Amino acid sequence: MSADLERLSAAQAKADEVIAAVAEPIDSGRLLRVAVTDVETGQRLATGFVGYERMMRRLHAVNDRSEHPLPK
């Protein structure tokens, strides 16, 4: 297996794992679409949905980019 194919296979497996851990049934009321995207290729690897409560009033960042800067 080439190094690129091995990396992509590992990325796909992790994306599937992440979505399986957070995904909820689509009939959960208000939903957010959660996508896992490969930063290197820009390819979306997995998509799922999570429900949320209407009482949520403001958005906030969940990741400090200075800690995990995007590649140039």
Side-chain angles (χ1 to χ4, degrees):
M1 184 181 299
S2 76
D4 284 342
L5 184 56
E6 188 173 326
R7 187 195 73 75
L8 289 173
S9 294
Q12 184 66 62
K14 188 60 166 185
D16 292 343
E17 180 184 322
V18 167
I19 292 300
V22 300
E24 298 176 2
I26 294 177
D27 63 350
S28 298
R30 295 188 177 270
L31 297 171
L32 297 173
R33 179 175 44 206
V34 179
V36 178
T37 304
D38 185 331
V39 175
E40 223 174 276
T41 65
Q43 179 180 357
R44 183 180 299 176
L45 300 175
T47 303
F49 296 91
V50 294
Y52 68 94
E53 296 292 325
R54 187 177 178 111
M55 294 176 59
M56 194 165 123
R57 296 187 188 238
R58 63 182 194 135
L59 300 176
H60 63 278
V62 294
N63 183 353
D64 179 356
R65 291 189 189 268
S66 63
E67 185 178 324
H68 303 285
L70 294 174
K72 296 179 182 183

